[in-house]
mmCIF file of all heavy atoms in Angstrom:
data_model
loop_
_atom_site.group_PDB
_atom_site.id
_atom_site.type_symbol
_atom_site.label_atom_id
_atom_site.label_comp_id
_atom_site.label_asym_id
_atom_site.label_seq_id
_atom_site.Cartn_x
_atom_site.Cartn_y
_atom_site.Cartn_z
ATOM 1 N N SER A 1196 -3.018 -11.598 -1.076
ATOM 2 C CA SER A 1196 -1.602 -11.861 -1.002
ATOM 3 C C SER A 1196 -0.758 -10.618 -0.893
ATOM 4 O O SER A 1196 0.101 -10.426 -0.161
ATOM 5 C CB SER A 1196 -1.124 -12.725 -2.227
ATOM 6 O OG SER A 1196 0.234 -12.805 -2.156
ATOM 7 N N ASP A 1197 -1.204 -9.561 -1.684
ATOM 8 C CA ASP A 1197 -0.449 -8.227 -1.615
ATOM 9 C C ASP A 1197 -0.667 -7.471 -0.390
ATOM 10 O O ASP A 1197 0.263 -6.940 0.229
ATOM 11 C CB ASP A 1197 -1.022 -7.333 -2.827
ATOM 12 C CG ASP A 1197 -0.424 -7.792 -4.186
ATOM 13 O OD1 ASP A 1197 0.494 -8.621 -4.199
ATOM 14 O OD2 ASP A 1197 -0.836 -7.169 -5.207
ATOM 15 N N HIS A 1198 -1.873 -7.565 0.252
ATOM 16 C CA HIS A 1198 -2.070 -6.928 1.516
ATOM 17 C C HIS A 1198 -1.271 -7.611 2.560
ATOM 18 O O HIS A 1198 -0.680 -6.987 3.399
ATOM 19 C CB HIS A 1198 -3.583 -6.874 1.832
ATOM 20 C CG HIS A 1198 -4.378 -5.931 1.043
ATOM 21 N ND1 HIS A 1198 -4.155 -4.483 1.218
ATOM 22 C CD2 HIS A 1198 -5.359 -5.989 0.173
ATOM 23 C CE1 HIS A 1198 -5.097 -3.787 0.487
ATOM 24 N NE2 HIS A 1198 -5.732 -4.751 -0.148
ATOM 25 N N GLU A 1199 -1.298 -8.943 2.550
ATOM 26 C CA GLU A 1199 -0.541 -9.668 3.566
ATOM 27 C C GLU A 1199 1.047 -9.544 3.362
ATOM 28 O O GLU A 1199 1.672 -9.317 4.443
ATOM 29 C CB GLU A 1199 -0.792 -11.125 3.498
ATOM 30 C CG GLU A 1199 -2.336 -11.425 4.020
ATOM 31 C CD GLU A 1199 -2.839 -12.831 3.900
ATOM 32 O OE1 GLU A 1199 -2.147 -13.779 3.167
ATOM 33 O OE2 GLU A 1199 -3.896 -13.147 4.382
ATOM 34 N N THR A 1200 1.407 -9.368 2.212
ATOM 35 C CA THR A 1200 2.832 -9.109 2.011
ATOM 36 C C THR A 1200 3.149 -7.633 2.537
ATOM 37 O O THR A 1200 4.141 -7.493 3.212
ATOM 38 C CB THR A 1200 3.260 -9.213 0.544
ATOM 39 O OG1 THR A 1200 2.976 -10.489 0.056
ATOM 40 C CG2 THR A 1200 4.627 -8.827 0.147
ATOM 41 N N THR A 1201 2.353 -6.799 2.213
ATOM 42 C CA THR A 1201 2.472 -5.384 2.775
ATOM 43 C C THR A 1201 2.419 -5.328 4.182
ATOM 44 O O THR A 1201 3.279 -4.690 4.778
ATOM 45 C CB THR A 1201 1.356 -4.507 2.076
ATOM 46 O OG1 THR A 1201 1.431 -4.557 0.682
ATOM 47 C CG2 THR A 1201 1.387 -3.089 2.614
ATOM 48 N N LEU A 1202 1.665 -6.094 4.811
ATOM 49 C CA LEU A 1202 1.472 -6.068 6.282
ATOM 50 C C LEU A 1202 2.792 -6.586 6.880
ATOM 51 O O LEU A 1202 3.287 -6.012 7.939
ATOM 52 C CB LEU A 1202 0.280 -7.030 6.733
ATOM 53 C CG LEU A 1202 -1.019 -6.348 6.639
ATOM 54 C CD1 LEU A 1202 -2.095 -7.373 6.770
ATOM 55 C CD2 LEU A 1202 -1.181 -5.247 7.691
ATOM 56 N N LYS A 1203 3.314 -7.676 6.333
ATOM 57 C CA LYS A 1203 4.591 -8.276 6.931
ATOM 58 C C LYS A 1203 5.747 -7.178 6.649
ATOM 59 O O LYS A 1203 6.469 -7.065 7.674
ATOM 60 C CB LYS A 1203 4.940 -9.536 6.161
ATOM 61 C CG LYS A 1203 4.056 -10.734 6.515
ATOM 62 C CD LYS A 1203 4.371 -11.847 5.613
ATOM 63 C CE LYS A 1203 3.219 -12.905 5.685
ATOM 64 N NZ LYS A 1203 3.275 -13.908 4.742
ATOM 65 N N GLN A 1204 5.807 -6.519 5.592
ATOM 66 C CA GLN A 1204 6.867 -5.567 5.401
ATOM 67 C C GLN A 1204 6.715 -4.411 6.265
ATOM 68 O O GLN A 1204 7.690 -3.903 6.789
ATOM 69 C CB GLN A 1204 6.684 -5.136 3.893
ATOM 70 C CG GLN A 1204 7.943 -4.310 3.523
ATOM 71 C CD GLN A 1204 7.896 -4.098 1.988
ATOM 72 O OE1 GLN A 1204 6.951 -3.587 1.428
ATOM 73 N NE2 GLN A 1204 9.055 -4.255 1.298
ATOM 74 N N LEU A 1205 5.412 -3.925 6.451
ATOM 75 C CA LEU A 1205 5.240 -2.795 7.295
ATOM 76 C C LEU A 1205 5.717 -3.116 8.748
ATOM 77 O O LEU A 1205 6.319 -2.229 9.431
ATOM 78 C CB LEU A 1205 3.735 -2.268 7.374
ATOM 79 C CG LEU A 1205 3.326 -1.552 6.034
ATOM 80 C CD1 LEU A 1205 1.830 -1.392 6.078
ATOM 81 C CD2 LEU A 1205 3.973 -0.275 5.953
ATOM 82 N N ARG A 1206 5.426 -4.274 9.139
ATOM 83 C CA ARG A 1206 5.775 -4.737 10.643
ATOM 84 C C ARG A 1206 7.381 -4.649 10.749
ATOM 85 O O ARG A 1206 7.900 -4.104 11.769
ATOM 86 C CB ARG A 1206 5.403 -6.159 10.885
ATOM 87 C CG ARG A 1206 3.801 -6.212 11.186
ATOM 88 C CD ARG A 1206 3.339 -7.599 11.525
ATOM 89 N NE ARG A 1206 1.901 -7.829 11.167
ATOM 90 C CZ ARG A 1206 0.916 -7.277 11.907
ATOM 91 N NH1 ARG A 1206 1.224 -6.389 12.886
ATOM 92 N NH2 ARG A 1206 -0.284 -7.375 11.523
ATOM 93 N N ASP A 1207 8.009 -5.164 9.692
ATOM 94 C CA ASP A 1207 9.449 -4.965 9.679
ATOM 95 C C ASP A 1207 10.049 -3.612 9.756
ATOM 96 O O ASP A 1207 10.892 -3.267 10.430
ATOM 97 C CB ASP A 1207 10.184 -5.788 8.533
ATOM 98 C CG ASP A 1207 9.828 -7.335 8.595
ATOM 99 O OD1 ASP A 1207 9.599 -7.896 9.670
ATOM 100 O OD2 ASP A 1207 10.026 -7.974 7.510
ATOM 101 N N TYR A 1208 9.372 -2.794 8.894
ATOM 102 C CA TYR A 1208 9.828 -1.350 8.855
ATOM 103 C C TYR A 1208 9.503 -0.614 10.148
ATOM 104 O O TYR A 1208 10.374 0.128 10.658
ATOM 105 C CB TYR A 1208 9.082 -0.624 7.689
ATOM 106 C CG TYR A 1208 9.545 -1.044 6.228
ATOM 107 C CD1 TYR A 1208 8.927 -0.523 5.220
ATOM 108 C CD2 TYR A 1208 10.710 -1.731 6.098
ATOM 109 C CE1 TYR A 1208 9.198 -0.814 3.853
ATOM 110 C CE2 TYR A 1208 11.130 -2.144 4.723
ATOM 111 C CZ TYR A 1208 10.369 -1.595 3.645
ATOM 112 O OH TYR A 1208 10.857 -1.904 2.435
ATOM 113 N N ILE A 1209 8.347 -0.933 10.702
ATOM 114 C CA ILE A 1209 8.013 -0.248 11.909
ATOM 115 C C ILE A 1209 8.983 -0.638 13.055
ATOM 116 O O ILE A 1209 9.598 0.231 13.743
ATOM 117 C CB ILE A 1209 6.531 -0.639 12.412
ATOM 118 C CG1 ILE A 1209 5.479 0.090 11.457
ATOM 119 C CG2 ILE A 1209 6.243 -0.179 13.855
ATOM 120 C CD1 ILE A 1209 4.164 -0.527 11.596
ATOM 121 N N LYS A 1210 9.307 -1.846 13.153
ATOM 122 C CA LYS A 1210 10.343 -2.345 14.147
ATOM 123 C C LYS A 1210 11.576 -1.569 13.970
ATOM 124 O O LYS A 1210 12.219 -1.139 14.926
ATOM 125 C CB LYS A 1210 10.546 -3.836 14.037
ATOM 126 C CG LYS A 1210 11.406 -4.409 15.148
ATOM 127 C CD LYS A 1210 11.329 -5.902 15.014
ATOM 128 C CE LYS A 1210 12.313 -6.541 16.119
ATOM 129 N NZ LYS A 1210 12.278 -7.997 16.060
ATOM 130 N N GLU A 1211 12.151 -1.534 12.767
ATOM 131 C CA GLU A 1211 13.382 -0.832 12.607
ATOM 132 C C GLU A 1211 13.355 0.659 12.766
ATOM 133 O O GLU A 1211 14.228 1.313 13.274
ATOM 134 C CB GLU A 1211 13.896 -1.070 11.054
ATOM 135 C CG GLU A 1211 14.307 -2.525 10.812
ATOM 136 C CD GLU A 1211 15.120 -2.599 9.510
ATOM 137 O OE1 GLU A 1211 15.986 -1.876 9.257
ATOM 138 O OE2 GLU A 1211 14.726 -3.457 8.893
#
Side-chain angles (χ1 to χ4, degrees):
S1196 176
D1197 285 353
H1198 284 293
E1199 289 176 343
T1200 297
T1201 298
L1202 284 164
K1203 291 172 193 169
Q1204 189 172 53
L1205 286 170
R1206 288 181 203 290
D1207 291 342
Y1208 287 172
I1209 292 165
K1210 186 175 181 177
E1211 288 192 49

